Amino acid sequence: MTQHTFSFSFQILDFEELMPHDKNLIEEARKATKRAYAPYSQYQVGAALLLENGTIVTGNNQENAAYPSGLCAERTAFFWAKSQFPDLKILTAAVSAKPSGEENFVGVTPCGGCRQVMLEYEIAQNQAIRLVLEGENGKVKLIEKVSYLLPLCFSNKNL
Ligand code: THU
């Protein structure tokens, strides 16, 4: 038997401690929450991606009466970005969330399906995608690469 352990470090910062481009990106993600279509969960999620040419692409969750047909904010943003700018690397992805009808943002971390999708593009572009995630009480989590969130992942290397 061999024992294996995964660990990774990430930072929790006050909003004011963020670098200006991360601050801007989380603000864009927060704005995007307000355009979410989330009549079923009442949980509005926004994502904002910084591309290597400085373009910012945003997305939000889009729900559906046939529940599984809806899509998370992260995948909406990533698929939109890669459908419009297939050759541009994604440098950073910010994600924020809030309950509908409320002004305060709440902590959010991407679901497993979104981690898998983000990882696909991180591997394809051969460069880390940084994550800036809305945390609790106005704090923000900084994670240096998507792959930290998906140990023992399935990828094209398995095929
Ligand atoms: N959701 C996202 O958009 N991103 C996440 O990281 C977590 C969950 C959405 C899916 C659904 O519309 C709602 O939030 C409740 O799960």
Side-chain angles (χ1 to χ4, degrees), residues 36-47 60-64 67 70-76 95-97 108-112 114 118 133:
Y37 179 66
Y40 305 105
S41 72
Q42 304 288 323
Y43 183 73
Q44 299 177 296
V45 188
N60 41 41
N61 51 334
Q62 297 294 320
E63 298 186 347
N64 194 281
Y67 292 178
L71 199 62
C72 291
E74 295 91 326
R75 269 177 283 176
T76 303
V95 189
S96 184
V108 63
T109 49
C111 79
C114 289
M118 295 189 291
L133 306 177

